[in-house]
Every structure is written in C-alpha cells, then in structure tokens.
Amino acid sequence: MATITLATFNCENLFARYKFDKKVDKEKAFKDGWLANQGHFYQFDKEETRLTAAAVKETKADVVALQEVESNGTLRQFRQKFLNGRQKYKEYLVIDGNDYLRLIDVGILSSFHLENIRSHMHEINKKTNRELFSRDCLECDIILPDKKKLTLFINHFKSMYNPANPCNGRAETHDKRAVQAKRVKEIVEERFPDANGDFAIVGDLNDYIDSESAIRNLVKWNNVENVIDRLPEEERWTQYWEGNKKCGLNETYHQLDYILISKSLAEKNPDTKPSIVRKGLPKKAKRYKGPWLKDIGNKAASDHCPLVMQLII
C-alpha cells in the first residue's frame, strides 16, 4: 500500500521571459517571428514567484500538476530558486503545448519517478482543422513504492475569456471546452478500457458545473468522482474572479480546478476529504476569511487555489 498527496495548481503566469513593447502586435510577432533586440527583457517577478512557491509548499504535496508554466527551463529555475532544488521534487516536466500567444503550458513536479509520458498536443479537431487542445492533455505515470502506479491526465482547457466579446465569453468558448472534455474522456477510456485502474484527471478545466457547463459529461462521468464534492457546498470553490464592471458582471467564486479520481481510487479512499489552499489569493477575495501568506497584498500567488488530495494507492 502506498500513499501519495496529489495537488493541482494553476500558478498564474509562471514566466521567465521577454516582454513585448506596447507598440508590438503580439499575434503578428508570433506568426512572423521577431528579433530579440526588439523586445524588453525582465527577470522573474521574485515577489510573485516567492508567493507562488509558498502556496506550493502549503500543499505539502508529493506531486503537483501545474498549469500556466512557460517552459521546462522555467520550471527547473522555479524548483531550484524557490523550492530547494531536488530535495522535495526530484523530477519535473513541461512539454511545450499549443498556446502560441501566451506560451503557457501544463507541467508537473514530482517526488517520484515519472514514466510513460505522452503528449496529446498534436491532436486535431476535425471540424475546425486546428489543434484540439488549447495547451495539452499531458499523460504520465507516477511510479510509487511497492510497484504501485498512479496515472495522471493533466489538463488546462480553453479559457472562458473571449477578448472579442468579454461580456459573453463563457458561451462563445463553450464548444471548444466541450470538445476537449469529450476527448479527455476518450483518452482515459483508451488507456483504461474497463475504467478499472488507478488514475486521476486533474487541472484547470476552466468551467464550473451548471446547466450551461461544457464539462459536465466529464466531471459527472460515472467512472470518476469529483473529490471536491466531499466538501460542504459553500466550500466548493477554487478560483476568485473580480468581475467586469463594464459588462455588469460581479465577482465570482467557482470551482475551475479539478481532481477527478477513478472509481477504484474512490473505493480505496472512501472517507478522505480534499483541502483547498486559499492563503495565496488576492486580498480582494472577501469570501475567504482565513489566514494569508506573508506579504500578500497588491501581489498574490494566483487567482486560483491549489486543490489537494491524499490518496492510498
């Protein structure tokens, strides 16, 4: 019997990159290329990154699935400078995905060995003839003691934000998320044809469950359990959004981040409840009444909260 603490965290722009001049057309630059001397470079925002690292440490997780990481090098630098190098997380991985504008990818920090790594970034949506996944569905096995294994499917679905219509972004981006959710379900079924195995679908699915949800068929699939449902209803939120005054939209608190465990894992862990680390949120998130990370103020770890679950495998 092996025990693992698993977390998922959208760490919000974990970058170590160039920054374009305001006059530069970013989309044109990504399409046509650019010269480095036409950009302005800056280092990590050390304060924000320190807060992000503090939120990761609060999870006490053995494995952290991450969203919004720029690159493998960025994650290596983050681990080295802010997470004590290899002491906790011996392995890490980011594979460049399909977000060509923001260059944000999914990744993983692990105290255990990673095997059978598989990217789905090249899959094509046949209706649009474009990449199906906004970033990737990153598949990997966590190799645990006693020959135990946990398979993860790490995701970051299409955002609900649409710059062309910011007041109705959720509806206009619905179909992309629905296609991604359907394909993730198929990928899991291909790997586990009888759905009998130790796996978890994790990440920022960028939607919440109501009658208009694009991800309902995945989250409510009878072969998985959404672990956050084990908490009281008022506690089932992982993301704070400040709203949009121009659109008349008020602040919201929703679950966008998910750990969907297989039925076999649910049966092995019938009484375990997840935890949500909210200490790194912006102080504008008034619903949260608990303690904050030190130095939370104008800057924060993320607008998302790490979602954490301890599992017996």
Side-chain angles (χ1 to χ4, degrees):
M1 186 180 298
T3 301
I4 181 174
T5 301
L6 172 65
T8 183
F9 183 28
N10 181 328
C11 50
E12 194 181 14
N13 300 333
L14 185 57
F15 295 156
R17 63 161 63 173
Y18 48 81
K19 183 177 182 181
F20 284 114
D21 186 275
K22 291 181 179 179
K23 297 178 181 179
V24 173
D25 183 331
K26 298 180 182 64
E27 291 195 25
K28 189 175 187 300
F30 279 111
K31 180 179 178 182
D32 300 337
W34 69 91
L35 297 177
N37 62 3
Q38 292 177 330
H40 298 278
F41 289 79
Y42 65 97
Q43 295 180 321
F44 269 111
D45 184 322
K46 292 185 178 179
E47 183 57 25
E48 285 189 355
T49 308
R50 186 191 66 77
L51 291 170
T52 299
V56 170
K57 291 176 182 177
E58 285 285 332
T59 70
K60 297 180 174 60
D62 303 303
V63 174
V64 187
L66 296 167
Q67 301 86 51
E68 297 203 13
V69 182
E70 180 186 0
S71 66
N72 212 44
T74 301
L75 189 55
R76 179 176 63 248
Q77 187 177 6
F78 177 63
R79 183 189 69 163
Q80 184 63 33
K81 290 188 174 182
F82 298 94
L83 296 175
N84 302 316
R86 295 185 178 88
Q87 291 183 30
K88 174 66 174 177
Y89 298 112
K90 297 176 175 61
E91 299 193 16
Y92 62 92
L93 177 69
V94 173
I95 295 177
D96 285 343
N98 292 325
D99 195 321
Y100 305 120
L101 182 59
R102 293 182 64 200
L103 298 182
I104 52 175
D105 302 309
V106 298
I108 186 169
L109 290 164
S110 179
S111 300
F112 303 105
H113 180 51
L114 305 175
E115 284 188 359
N116 301 321
I117 297 158
R118 183 182 179 193
S119 169
H120 295 272
M121 63 169 288
H122 295 297
E123 296 194 14
I124 298 297
N125 182 335
K126 293 180 180 178
K127 289 185 177 180
T128 64
N129 201 34
R130 301 187 67 177
E131 289 91 350
L132 192 151
F133 289 107
S134 301
R135 289 91 191 180
D136 197 357
C137 173
L138 181 61
E139 183 179 343
C140 63
D141 291 344
I142 313 298
I143 306 304
L144 302 169
D146 300 323
K147 298 182 179 180
K148 299 289 185 178
K149 179 173 66 176
L150 172 65
T151 300
L152 297 184
F153 301 88
I154 306 170
N155 292 274
H156 187 188
F157 285 0
K158 171 66 180 175
S159 170
M160 288 188 285
Y161 177 68
N162 180 10
N165 188 358
C167 299
N168 195 33
R170 187 188 185 207
E172 297 210 353
T173 57
H174 173 281
D175 290 352
K176 289 186 178 180
R177 282 190 303 282
V179 169
Q180 290 166 0
K182 180 176 182 290
R183 180 59 187 137
V184 168
K185 187 176 175 181
E186 291 171 348
I187 289 169
V188 175
E189 288 176 321
E190 290 165 8
R191 180 73 183 271
F192 299 93
D194 56 359
N196 183 23
D198 293 333
F199 65 83
I201 302 164
V202 300
D204 177 2
L205 304 188
N206 257 322
D207 209 343
Y208 49 93
I209 302 302
D210 65 6
S211 60
E212 305 299 324
S213 178
I215 63 171
R216 171 177 286 275
N217 287 342
L218 177 62
V219 176
K220 297 297 184 180
W221 183 24
N222 60 8
N223 285 324
V224 298
E225 180 185 341
N226 181 12
V227 298
I228 209 170
D229 288 344
R230 298 183 177 191
L231 297 178
E233 188 171 356
E234 65 273 12
E235 288 297 315
R236 298 173 192 171
W237 61 274
T238 64
Q239 194 256 2
Y240 158 75
W241 182 58
E242 64 183 356
N244 185 325
K245 290 183 179 179
K246 292 182 179 179
C247 297
L249 300 174
N250 296 324
E251 67 177 15
T252 61
Y253 300 83
H254 287 303
Q255 181 188 12
L256 301 189
D257 308 275
Y258 294 81
I259 297 178
L260 308 177
I261 58 174
S262 65
K263 284 299 182 182
S264 67
L265 284 177
E267 290 168 0
K268 294 174 186 176
N269 299 271
D271 302 316
T272 307
K273 293 183 179 181
S275 60
I276 302 171
V277 178
R278 299 194 173 108
K279 294 180 179 182
L281 284 169
K283 284 202 170 179
K284 293 182 289 185
K286 300 301 182 183
R287 180 181 289 188
Y288 174 57
K289 304 299 182 183
W292 304 89
L293 294 174
K294 183 181 178 182
D295 298 328
I296 288 285
N298 293 330
K299 297 182 178 181
S302 177
D303 57 345
H304 290 251
C305 307
L307 175 62
V308 189
M309 185 73 171
Q310 187 176 73
L311 295 168
I312 295 171
I313 307 298

